[in-house]
Amino acid sequence: MLVIERIAKHPLRAWAVVTLLAMAAASLAGSRYRDNLERGRLELLNIDVQRDAISAMSLTLDSNLMGAISLLGLIEPDIKKESTEPIPPNQPNILALLENVARSQKIQGLFVVGRDGFVKSSWDESGRPSTGIDVRFRPYYKESMAGRNNIYAAVSLARGDHALYFAAPVYAGMARSGDPVGVVVARTDMEKLERLLARSGQAAILLSPQGVVFASSRREWRGMLAGEVTLARVAQIRAVRQFGKLFEEREPRRLPLDIAPGMVTAEGRHYAVASATVDWHDPSGSWQLVVLEDLGQSVPAGSGVPAAAMAAAVVVLLGAAGLRAVRSQAAQQRAHVELERVAQEQELRAERKMQLAQVALQMQQAEDRQARLAAFLDQCHRLFGAMQGAIYGADANGLALAASYASTAPPQHLALGEGLLGQCALERQARIVGAGAAGAAWSIRSGLGGANPGALLLAPVQLRGRLLGAVELALLQAPDAAAYEQFLSALDLLAINMTE
């Protein structure tokens, strides 16, 4: 009830609270709405990156080119012979075959590796064949000799360009059974994969198993290293000789953002990050296709404004309704309290009337005037807590003691204006005297001890403007307004009984 009353009394403060709540709700709703939009964009991005990973596989391990070189190693007798027999390299018929396949598949180079790991015959569009090169250390040779088609992405030591090596095993028979006897290898540039990375319009990365950015739609990221750059990690990357001279003369730079799937903030932008595996049968592990969407573009800063405005409007409407309900409740409570107060006042007035009636009855039943005055003082003790009291009657000489209550030796006569009571009779004005002034003239005593009164009640007794006397009561504590009012009403009964 107290809270409701305070709200009703201070509507501006209540509206300030409602405004703050509306602002908080707007901020929360706008933030939640943006979060939902961003999570939705992340889910779509995950779908897109999985689709792009499938596309990357269709351009590489599952491509027509891989099928063509696999077929060469399976059905071409000259390729099988080149791989197993010590014949001179670059036979015209083999070179013609390699050139025809290379030109039909639009590849840069095509060569045959023998069982011993050396390039036997090779065709290269640059006119610089690879014949005689030892490729036994290359992972694509090892994987193919284990019977697996594979893709090997590397940086050329001689040219420094980024290339893809498609490798397929050569079998002695017409079926893929038994141990391979050689390898057919095709080299292509990164054009198709780079177009794939750029087609979404988002920042895309082709990440090696070692964490090297091998290709990216952001060219400045190429050659950077994802994650922490340590000496041990750099030494391990250099040892595989997969990235040519890229890290021979300088330390790799760290990629300026975290590419773990989810949300990341870097370079002053907020990105959604999604990744998918590209399994090229690389013995170092799987490659990763990572796509980053700039959420500042797809989910602008103002995206949450409608939700924020709606939330604020709802809070304001609820606040207005709540304040109306509070004001209504407060009004009902005030009306209820007022009814209770009126009822209590009526009950108190009725009780006072009964008490005054009891005083009148006691005085009427008294035998004589002296007994009536004594009955009045007795009722003052019961009603007002008077511990001592005295009634003086007016005569020609001033005031004469007419009755007393629990008083040891009150003065028998007082002149008008003498002492506090004489002054009260002279001025014909009732008063309450506090403890300091009261203590100087009165001392409440009993058989067990004594104490100064807390207050004195002093009042003239009058009837139709004629002074009949005066009353003095000593109380342990000052009376409240209701008791004082009842005391003044009792004086009218005393005045009537003093005239009889």
Side-chain angles (χ1 to χ4, degrees):
M1 292 178 64
L2 182 59
V3 174
I4 292 176
E5 190 64 29
R6 286 182 177 178
I7 294 174
K9 286 183 177 180
H10 304 285
L12 292 180
R13 295 181 184 179
W15 274 112
V17 172
V18 171
T19 302
L20 291 176
L21 291 175
M23 293 172 61
S27 175
L28 180 60
S31 177
R32 286 289 183 87
Y33 186 75
R34 276 183 55 82
D35 288 345
N36 289 335
L37 289 179
E38 290 178 353
R39 283 194 293 270
R41 294 302 307 172
L42 180 59
E43 291 175 2
L44 291 176
L45 192 64
N46 277 309
I47 295 173
D48 290 343
V49 78
Q50 294 294 333
R51 181 195 62 201
D52 290 343
I54 294 173
S55 298
M57 292 295 289
S58 69
L59 292 174
T60 54
L61 200 61
D62 301 330
S63 65
N64 292 335
L65 172 55
M66 182 60 76
I69 65 173
S70 297
L71 198 59
L72 282 178
L74 188 64
I75 67 173
E76 284 295 333
D78 291 336
I79 299 296
K80 299 177 188 294
K81 187 176 180 180
E82 177 89 348
S83 301
T84 57
E85 297 180 12
I87 61 175
N90 298 327
Q91 295 290 320
N93 59 326
I94 296 179
L95 284 180
L97 175 62
L98 294 180
E99 183 178 0
N100 288 334
V101 173
R103 292 191 183 281
S104 67
Q105 296 296 326
K106 299 180 180 180
I107 57 180
Q108 294 175 328
L110 184 61
F111 53 90
V112 180
V113 182
R115 182 184 292 170
D116 58 0
F118 286 85
V119 177
K120 300 300 183 181
S121 293
S122 65
W123 177 89
D124 196 289
E125 68 175 0
S126 66
R128 293 178 294 178
S130 303
T131 305
I133 295 177
D134 183 3
V135 295
R136 286 176 296 176
F137 70 94
R138 291 296 190 182
Y140 62 76
Y141 169 76
K142 297 177 181 179
E143 286 295 299
S144 293
M145 291 303 291
R148 288 186 290 272
N149 293 348
N150 66 95
I151 302 295
Y152 183 68
V155 178
S156 171
L157 283 169
R159 295 178 297 274
D161 59 345
H162 291 59
L164 292 179
Y165 293 85
F166 294 66
V170 177
Y171 292 95
M174 300 297 289
R176 292 183 177 88
S177 60
D179 293 332
V181 296
V183 180
V184 179
V185 181
R187 188 188 76 251
T188 69
D189 58 21
M190 297 290 296
E191 182 182 356
K192 291 183 179 180
L193 275 180
E194 287 177 346
R195 284 204 304 266
L196 174 65
L197 295 179
R199 76 178 185 182
S200 67
Q202 307 292 350
I205 294 172
L206 181 63
L207 196 69
S208 77
Q210 298 84 8
V212 176
V213 178
F214 188 78
S216 174
S217 60
R218 298 272 296 269
R219 296 193 66 84
E220 68 271 19
W221 288 354
R222 287 179 61 174
M224 290 187 176
L225 196 60
E228 186 178 0
V229 179
T230 63
L231 293 177
R233 190 176 177 195
V234 173
Q236 183 182 13
I237 292 172
R238 287 171 176 168
V240 300
R241 296 190 291 178
Q242 185 173 359
F243 305 102
K245 298 180 181 179
L246 193 61
F247 303 135
E248 292 299 324
E249 298 176 355
R250 61 181 177 85
E251 297 293 330
R253 293 175 299 153
R254 181 173 180 173
L255 195 66
L257 71 169
D258 184 10
I259 57 174
M263 305 290 183
V264 63
T265 299
E267 300 179 322
R269 299 180 180 181
H270 192 48
Y271 292 98
V273 183
S275 66
T277 299
V278 179
D279 188 4
W280 283 342
H281 296 165
D282 190 327
S284 298
S286 296
W287 287 64
Q288 295 290 320
L289 180 61
V290 182
V291 178
L292 302 93
E293 179 176 322
D294 185 355
L295 294 173
Q297 299 295 326
S298 56
V299 186
S303 301
V305 171
M310 183 176 294
V314 169
V315 172
V316 169
L317 290 175
L318 290 177
L323 290 178
R324 284 197 297 270
V326 166
R327 287 195 294 268
S328 176
Q329 183 69 19
Q332 292 178 5
Q333 290 180 358
R334 287 193 294 269
H336 180 70
V337 170
E338 182 64 19
L339 288 175
E340 287 186 344
R341 186 188 65 79
V342 170
Q344 289 176 354
E345 288 182 354
Q346 291 177 346
E347 183 179 355
L348 184 59
R349 282 195 293 269
E351 183 178 356
R352 290 172 183 170
K353 289 180 180 179
M354 290 181 63
Q355 291 173 348
L356 291 176
Q358 183 67 23
V359 173
L361 179 62
Q362 291 292 328
M363 295 179 73
Q364 289 176 0
Q365 292 177 348
E367 296 179 353
D368 51 26
R369 180 176 181 274
Q370 190 66 31
R372 288 194 293 272
L373 298 181
F376 176 82
L377 291 174
D378 182 67
Q379 289 297 315
C380 287
H381 167 71
R382 186 177 65 83
L383 295 178
F384 314 123
M387 303 307 295
Q388 290 181 345
I391 298 176
Y392 285 81
D395 57 16
N397 298 322
L399 299 175
L401 181 65
S404 64
Y405 175 82
S407 180
T408 53
Q412 295 295 316
H413 291 89
L414 288 174
L416 291 178
E418 181 183 356
L420 292 175
L421 184 60
Q423 188 65 29
C424 174
L426 178 64
E427 296 176 354
R428 300 192 180 189
Q429 183 67 43
R431 67 176 61 180
I432 300 174
V433 181
W442 282 80
S443 177
I444 300 173
R445 295 185 178 278
S446 69
L448 299 178
N452 290 331
L456 292 179
L457 283 181
L458 307 174
V461 181
Q462 306 177 81
L463 184 64
R464 298 186 183 92
R466 183 165 63 93
L467 181 66
L468 302 179
V471 177
E472 186 172 15
L473 300 177
L475 283 70
L476 288 177
Q477 60 186 13
D480 57 20
Y484 182 65
E485 181 182 353
Q486 190 173 19
F487 168 70
L488 295 179
S489 298
L491 290 178
D492 294 335
L493 295 176
L494 178 61
I496 294 172
N497 284 278
M498 287 185 69
T499 60
E500 296 177 358

